[in-house]
Amino acid sequence: MAIVLLAVTPVTRADIDPVSGIDFVRIGAVGNAAWPGRGDPTDNTVGRGSVAYEYSISRFEVTTADWVPFFNAVFDRPANDRIPFVPLAPEPSYWGAQSVTPTHPGGQRWAVRPGQEMRPVGDISWRMAAIFCNWNHHGRALNREAFLSGAYDTATFGFTGPNNITFTDQATRSPGARYWIPSLDEWMKAAHYDPNKNGLGQGGWWNYSTTSDTVPVYGPPGVRVTTGVFPVVADPSGPLAQANALWNTDGFPNLNPFSVPLGAYSVTSPWGLYDTAGATTEWTEEIRTLSTGEKFRRVEGSFWSFPVSASDFVGRTGGGEFPNVPTYEFGFRVASSIPGSGTAALAIGCVLHLGCRRKR
Amino acid sequence: MTNKLVRWALAAITAMCGCASARAQVAYQIGTSTPVQPGTADFTIDLGSVDANTTIRIFDAGQVTGQPPTVSAGRITIAGSLASGSSAIVSIFLASQFDPESFVDPTDQPDRGLVNLSTLTVTDPLLRDRTRAIISLAGNLTGDPLDPANDHVVVGQVFRLDAAGTVTGNIFAGALDGSLGGGFQSVEFLRAASLSGNVRVADAVVSTDLRSIRTVRVFDQAGTGIRGSIRADRIGTVWTAGPIGTQEELVTIEGFKSIGEVRAVNETGSMELDRDFFVAATVSGPPFDFENLPRAERIKTLGNIAGTIDGSHWEFIEAGGDISATVRSLNVGRLVDAIPAGGGMFAGGSITGIVDVGDAGLVVAMVAGGDITSPVISGHMLLSIRASGSISSQINTIFPLSDLPFGSLGALEAGSVNSTGNITGSITTGDCGRSTAFGHIDAPIYIEVVLSDRIVATSMREPIVIGRTSWGVNRRSAALALDS
């Protein structure tokens, strides 16, 4: 069976923050109702998702175009001035970068490979995400201090307890932070809450972040696929895939889930966020604490190549992990206080507009 | 008799290590039946003939909400058999009694159910392979110290095994990938502060049967890292903040069909650790300490190796197919007496990923049945690079930041008498041994110091530049070789 992967046109990034270069969406509907739950005992987000202020959140997970300047700032510097908590692993060619000549002896530098600007970036620990926010908070300055505080004070980063099971990192962003890792409430609202779900001005929660109450269709973009099985395989009579999870090379030997650009699927959250389901699972500030005192940072959303989509449901978060773990599934999207496009009242219009724009 | 007494004593110690009144507090519950407190550290749960899905919860019956468990279990045996024709699944949920039992997402972290556990064994092989387990421990999976070579967790599928302490016991999973539903692999998620037990799956029966390990994560960077072997048909991600192996204990990670990535990376990362170690060594001059650095020891697969192999050191990387992985060994710093070592890389197919052991590094050998296209940085020495096909690598053995004047390239060979192999790309080295291409050499070759052997090819299209004219004899030998 021939599988035709439709040409994927990267989404136009029209609402770029001039400081960070990030495309932000403004989330309004101040004081929205929290997720009420539906009586499932495994629903662990009941009463969450209400946000009492406006904020911005990036339309996409962190992209290669976002991450290359950060890595250059971190690694293309004198050998005695490395930035802590940012391991150079794996090789940035993983996520769409290529090595170029550094400007400092002993430094390392990369450029975005042509056409790879929107490639998602995994292998990001929570602490790396925090340092990225610090750097943007300081206008992407290159002095060492610009990386070490602002949104999150890296002096607090550490572990304590037997076997180092309890992290000491500051729980939430610093007052006055301009960029930060979204809280669980902010993430849930941006992904699932629709201020007009039940009619103009009558808000409600979508079960899934694809502006739908039906579980997303997972598979490569532009491909009709089977549903309800893992791994997903092509099915000409099936629906078009909507999210980059639950498939791998077992079902599509010639396709690679890790190279699918962000924004490749036509569905979005009610606010116009892409890939809240699929690609990387996204760090939040939320902390899960066990009875032993062990603490984990929560993530949200399904991720590439993994057979589980449970966390795409509004009532379930993803698992959690220590903030220093930078394995392939972890990425994030940035939240910010800076103004961005879109308002609550315009959310649906925004989605429609984006859909039309992508079709042109 | 003596052996029995020792076992009894160990069991008693294990049971009491959390709290003095622990013995009666471990409980198990089958389905919604009344919980049973066996009263001994070692106990058997007899399921009889299993013909319907069954859940077994094992927990600390005395655990207080919000408080950690205080009791441990010794050897837990699951007895019984699968009813004829039944495809029932037995789910073992060893976690806090306050957490809802859920086998939906292996990344979920159930709260801790017991402090330590010695063993958990399903005795009947058919029942075993229909059994999946979640085990969440506040302490250690100790195994059986009197029987350290045996398996200590024996189930069909390890859905999640998570210990805040060390996993010393050996883990065996017998079920095929996907056979217990949901696309889940034989070992979905294994997480521990340190891992010294072995992790393995049952052997695949035919090539289409797969038993895989998706995630192994060892999180304590002050711990002992991974010291047990990991074997499966496919291995997804092995990540450790501590080392893999020691100088004395070789760790083998074998994915018989594939390995995704094996990474031993401290949270401060390769470069940061590099700098820190360099500073420490310079100031105090301690002997170089391999023990405390991440290393990828031995990685072997009959299939391909992709992804990343990242650590201070590797002994042996072998793939029956291609090695497209980025292989790096940068952690140990720019110390002459602390050479970051790459051992041998052997691929039945091609070697294409970046190979970087840094400015002071050493790669012993890169041997490929196909082509070698990898960019190679091996600033101290690259002893041998040989491809049955062609070599199109950018090879650099120059060590620019050291007072060492050069690195060296031992031998370079492309093709054979039976097959054409060209050398393209570029070569920059301090001194250079024999280079042979059973085809043409179309690579600029810059030799800083000495060409100590011949360069042989059917034709050459790029110049050879030898930086120090005092080694003219060797220049002549090169010319002679070319003339021939």
Side-chain angles (χ1 to χ4, degrees), chain A residues 226-293:
Chain A
T226 57
T227 58
V229 296
F230 179 85
V232 171
V233 296
D235 178 359
S237 62
L240 274 173
Q242 298 175 316
N244 186 10
L246 279 83
W247 68 278
N248 59 28
T249 52
D250 289 350
F252 300 90
N254 300 316
L255 301 178
N256 178 2
F258 302 104
S259 63
V260 172
L262 295 164
Y265 300 87
S266 60
V267 295
T268 69
S269 84
W271 301 90
L273 273 59
Y274 286 86
D275 300 293
T276 44
T280 65
T281 190
E282 301 175 20
W283 290 110
T284 73
E285 285 185 331
E286 184 76 0
I287 296 172
R288 159 119 159 105
T289 305
L290 302 188
S291 59
T292 50

Side-chain angles (χ1 to χ4, degrees), chain B residues 237-251:
Chain B
T237 299
V238 177
W239 181 89
T240 170
I244 299 176
T246 68
Q247 281 186 294
E248 292 77 28
E249 297 176 74
L250 193 67
V251 165

Side-chain angles (χ1 to χ4, degrees), chain A residues 108-122:
Chain A
Q108 290 180 272
R109 194 168 189 84
W110 298 269
V112 180
R113 290 202 304 271
Q116 300 293 305
E117 292 81 1
M118 293 299 290
R119 192 154 163 168
V121 181

Side-chain angles (χ1 to χ4, degrees), chain A residues 26-34 49-56 189 193-195 201 203 271 343-345:
Chain A
R26 193 70 173 168
I27 308 296
V30 170
N32 62 296
S50 176
V51 182
Y53 48 85
E54 283 198 9
Y55 61 101
S56 296
K189 180 177 179 179
Y193 185 77
D194 186 341
W271 301 90
T343 65

Side-chain angles (χ1 to χ4, degrees), chain A residues 21-321:
Chain A
I22 294 172
D23 184 355
F24 282 108
V25 173
R26 193 70 173 168
I27 308 296
V30 170
N32 62 296
W35 160 246
R38 62 176 190 183
D40 183 336
T42 63
D43 185 334
N44 60 8
T45 61
V46 176
R48 304 298 302 270
S50 176
V51 182
Y53 48 85
E54 283 198 9
Y55 61 101
S56 296
I57 192 166
S58 57
R59 194 182 305 277
F60 304 98
E61 295 172 354
V62 166
T63 67
T64 290
D66 298 327
W67 209 241
V68 162
F70 176 60
F71 256 41
N72 287 341
V74 168
F75 290 105
D76 193 3
R77 33 195 323 122
N80 63 355
D81 190 29
R82 298 288 185 214
I83 304 302
F85 306 109
V86 186
L88 179 56
E91 175 62 32
S93 60
Y94 251 39
W95 34 266
Q98 62 187 12
S99 182
V100 297
T101 304
T103 56
H104 291 91
Q108 290 180 272
R109 194 168 189 84
W110 298 269
V112 180
R113 290 202 304 271
Q116 300 293 305
E117 292 81 1
M118 293 299 290
R119 192 154 163 168
V121 181
D123 300 286
I124 298 175
S125 71
W126 191 93
R127 288 174 178 169
M128 293 164 72
I131 290 169
F132 179 83
C133 293
N134 287 343
W135 179 58
N136 280 294
H137 175 89
H138 290 290
R140 301 195 162 199
L142 295 177
N143 57 303
R144 185 175 180 82
E145 292 69 28
F147 298 87
L148 303 184
S149 64
Y152 303 94
D153 185 353
T154 60
T156 67
F157 290 4
F159 287 96
T160 186
N163 300 317
N164 294 306
I165 58 172
T166 303
F167 66 78
T168 57
D169 308 22
Q170 73 181 68
T172 59
R173 73 210 68 154
S174 300
R178 289 200 279 271
Y179 303 87
W180 61 83
I181 299 165
S183 68
L184 177 62
D185 297 309
E186 291 164 346
W187 196 98
M188 283 178 62
K189 180 177 179 179
H192 293 276
Y193 185 77
D194 186 341
N196 302 306
K197 180 174 190 264
N198 302 308
L200 192 62
Q202 299 177 60
W205 290 86
W206 293 103
N207 283 349
Y208 296 95
S209 56
T210 45
T211 317
S212 173
D213 287 327
T214 305
V215 66
V217 179
Y218 299 96
V223 177
R224 295 186 181 280
V225 296
T226 57
T227 58
V229 296
F230 179 85
V232 171
V233 296
D235 178 359
S237 62
L240 274 173
Q242 298 175 316
N244 186 10
L246 279 83
W247 68 278
N248 59 28
T249 52
D250 289 350
F252 300 90
N254 300 316
L255 301 178
N256 178 2
F258 302 104
S259 63
V260 172
L262 295 164
Y265 300 87
S266 60
V267 295
T268 69
S269 84
W271 301 90
L273 273 59
Y274 286 86
D275 300 293
T276 44
T280 65
T281 190
E282 301 175 20
W283 290 110
T284 73
E285 285 185 331
E286 184 76 0
I287 296 172
R288 159 119 159 105
T289 305
L290 302 188
S291 59
T292 50
E294 294 165 87
K295 294 200 291 187
F296 303 83
R297 292 287 188 179
R298 286 279 199 197
V299 291
E300 270 284 18
S302 57
F303 57 92
W304 41 26
S305 188
F306 192 59
V308 177
S309 62
S311 63
D312 288 337
F313 175 59
V314 61
R316 284 186 72 108
T317 65
E321 191 43 275

